[in-house]
Amino acid sequence: MKLLLTSGGVSNPSIENALIELLGKPIAECNALVVPTATYAHPKAGPRQAWQTVSGNEHRSRLVNLGWKTMGILELTALPTLGEDRWLPLLRETDVLLVDGGDSAYLCHWMLESGLADLLPTLDLVWVGVSAGSMVMTPRTGMDFITWRPENGDTMLGMVDFSMCPHIAPPGQFGNTMEEAEEWAATIDGPAYAVDDQTAFKVVDGNVEVVSEGTWKLLHA
């Protein structure tokens, strides 16, 4: 499995080129599934935002409207009620999972509950995360980013060894200021980055490359 962990999606040509490199073939030849699960649990998102994503009307993150060969929805909350024969063969034929943002703790819960978290290391696909869809792969998110609080708090899957504060923006604009990111980083152990919506992490076999046309900062190593 390869990772493209973004703050704001496939938001510029550099991130799109990184995605194509990870796929190893043109987007038009790739089968994709979009995962809207995290969206439902965030108070500023919910079902309407989930529809914007899966319908391709969410233009900021550019997930489903990139010109994929095929597109489907993988709803993690449904998987525990289905036999693996109903969804695992499709997953093994999938080239990329497009995982939208929302609440990372909710997403983490359903990744574990559905069995997807255990399956991921065995799958030959690219994981494209947006915001919470990226943060779920880190060791911790910090409690400021959790609105749905299960027993594990802000502990995530830890499939990478760094944490990230997404949506860095100038004061007065939507997002988090660098000052707020510094305060967040003080609560995080291990490497911690602040990134804006023009920045992503490309991760292959544990090797991390920052892909950016915007602003990012390693707050502490």
Side-chain angles (χ1 to χ4, degrees), residues 5-189:
L5 306 181
T6 81
S7 171
V10 186
S11 55
N12 59 55
S14 296
I15 295 176
E16 185 170 347
N17 288 337
L19 172 58
I20 294 170
E21 290 173 7
L22 291 173
L23 292 168
K25 55 185 176 181
I27 288 175
E29 297 178 11
C30 295
N31 301 307
L33 293 174
V34 63
V35 181
T37 305
T39 311
Y40 304 125
H42 197 284
K44 294 183 179 180
R48 288 188 174 86
Q49 179 62 39
W51 165 248
Q52 292 291 323
T53 297
V54 302
S55 66
N57 290 316
E58 174 51 86
H59 299 297
R60 289 187 305 171
S61 59
R62 292 187 68 227
L63 290 180
V64 307
N65 55 358
L66 288 169
W68 303 102
K69 179 181 179 181
T70 66
M71 174 60 61
I73 301 171
L74 186 69
E75 178 44 66
L76 303 188
T77 61
L79 299 189
T81 65
L82 302 171
E84 286 191 352
D85 61 304
R86 301 296 298 274
W87 57 271
L88 186 53
L90 175 64
L91 192 57
R92 295 200 184 281
E93 297 172 358
T94 296
D95 297 294
V96 58
L97 289 179
L98 308 169
V99 188
D100 201 11
D103 191 282
S104 53
Y106 188 74
L107 177 60
C108 185
H109 171 83
W110 285 107
M111 287 179 67
L112 293 168
E113 188 74 12
S114 67
L116 179 61
D118 292 331
L119 283 169
L120 282 177
T122 72
L123 299 175
D124 182 20
L125 54 72
V126 178
W127 175 283
V128 179
V130 178
S131 191
S134 297
M135 298 173 78
V136 74
M137 293 298 190
T138 69
R140 291 182 58 200
T141 63
M143 290 304 294
D144 288 345
F145 288 104
I146 304 297
T147 58
W148 186 85
R149 291 183 168 85
E151 61 278 3
N152 291 332
D154 69 336
T155 300
M156 298 293 119
L157 298 177
M159 293 191 180
V160 297
D161 65 359
F162 60 88
S163 297
M164 59 181 284
C165 178
H167 311 307
I168 296 301
Q173 295 187 18
F174 167 79
N176 305 299
T177 66
M178 191 62 74
E179 181 180 14
E180 290 169 332
E182 296 278 4
E183 295 173 354
W184 162 84
T187 70
I188 299 293
D189 297 325

